[in-house]
Amino acid sequence: MPSTATQAPAARLAAVIADVLGIDWTPPTELDWPVVFTSEAADRDLTLYPDRKNRRLIFELSPAGAASGDFDRRLFAKYTPDLTGHDSIDGWLADGDLAAVADALAVILERLIELPLPERVALADPLQTERERLAEQARELAADAAYFAAGLIWSQPVGDDAQRLATLARDLAHTAIRVDELRGSATANTAGRL
C-alpha cells in the first residue's frame, strides 16, 4: 500500500501500518477513523485512531469482533510523534513523513501484538461493573464533546471529531441499555421484598 500526500490521513496511516503488520493482518475496507486491522489466525483486532487532545496515536488490541463485554480484555499502546512543523496530529497524519516513523511503530506494535490478552474476569456484580463503564464512557464523551466544541469555536476541522463523538455515543447507548437490562432483572429479583 503506497502512501501519498493525496490520501486521507486514515488511509496514509493504514498504509504504513499494513506494511508493518504484513500479510497476517487484513487491512480495513473502510479507511476512516477508527481504522481496524484483523488477524483471523490470532482472532484479534487492532484498532488505531488519533487522540487529538493529547496529540498522539492510540493502538488498541482486542479479541476479534469484541463486544462491549470484552472491554476488560483489551490492551492499549500509545505513540506520540514529533509534530514539529505541524499544527496538530491531523496535520502530521495528512502530510507528515509517516514512513520515517515506521520502525518506531513496528517496535510498538510488535510488543503489543505479542502480549497475551487478559483473561475474562468473572464479575461478582455485573450491574456495578456496567455502571462504572457507563460512567467512564459518559466522562469520555463529555471530554470529547468539549474538545469538539473548542474546535468549532476556533474554526478547526471537526468532521473526524464528530464521527468519534457518534461512535462514543453509540457505545454509551449500548452500555446504557445493558445497565437498564441488568437493573430490570435486579428489580424483578427484589420486587417481592418491598
Side-chain angles (χ1 to χ4, degrees), residues 4 10 25 33 64 97 102 105 113 141 157:
T4 68
W25 289 81
W33 304 120
D97 185 3
L105 294 176
I113 290 168
L141 183 62

Side-chain angles (χ1 to χ4, degrees), residues 55-75:
R55 301 170 62 129
R56 63 187 177 187
L57 299 175
I58 305 293
F59 301 94
E60 175 186 320
L61 189 67
S62 63
S68 64
D70 286 329
F71 188 77
D72 57 341
R73 298 197 61 217
R74 297 169 193 233
L75 297 172

Side-chain angles (χ1 to χ4, degrees), residues 8-168:
R12 293 186 75 229
L13 183 60
V16 172
I17 298 302
D19 287 342
V20 167
L21 294 175
I23 60 172
D24 293 340
W25 289 81
T26 305
T29 54
E30 291 187 32
L31 293 173
D32 201 0
W33 304 120
V35 174
V36 181
F37 286 81
T38 302
S39 170
E40 289 184 25
D43 194 32
R44 293 180 176 192
D45 285 343
L46 176 67
T47 304
L48 47 129
Y49 53 90
D51 174 1
R52 292 175 180 89
K53 186 171 28 175
N54 296 306
R55 301 170 62 129
R56 63 187 177 187
L57 299 175
I58 305 293
F59 301 94
E60 175 186 320
L61 189 67
S62 63
S68 64
D70 286 329
F71 188 77
D72 57 341
R73 298 197 61 217
R74 297 169 193 233
L75 297 172
F76 294 89
K78 300 167 184 105
Y79 176 72
T80 305
D82 178 2
L83 300 181
T84 302
H86 302 280
D87 292 337
S88 65
I89 185 88
D90 290 305
W92 179 78
L93 286 166
D95 61 2
D97 185 3
L98 302 187
V101 299
D103 289 341
L105 294 176
V107 170
I108 291 169
L109 292 174
E110 181 179 314
R111 289 179 183 163
L112 179 64
I113 290 168
E114 287 180 356
L115 291 172
L117 291 174
E119 293 297 321
R120 179 172 279 125
V121 178
L123 303 172
D125 184 0
L127 175 58
Q128 181 61 27
T129 301
E130 290 297 324
R131 286 194 334 217
E132 288 171 6
R133 180 173 296 128
L134 185 61
E136 179 58 34
Q137 288 173 330
R139 280 191 292 273
E140 185 178 359
L141 183 62
D144 281 17
Y147 188 76
F148 173 78
L152 286 173
I153 292 168
W154 294 104
S155 299
Q156 296 174 344
V158 292
D160 288 341
D161 293 337
Q163 289 177 352
R164 174 88 174 124
L165 285 175
T167 300
L168 289 171

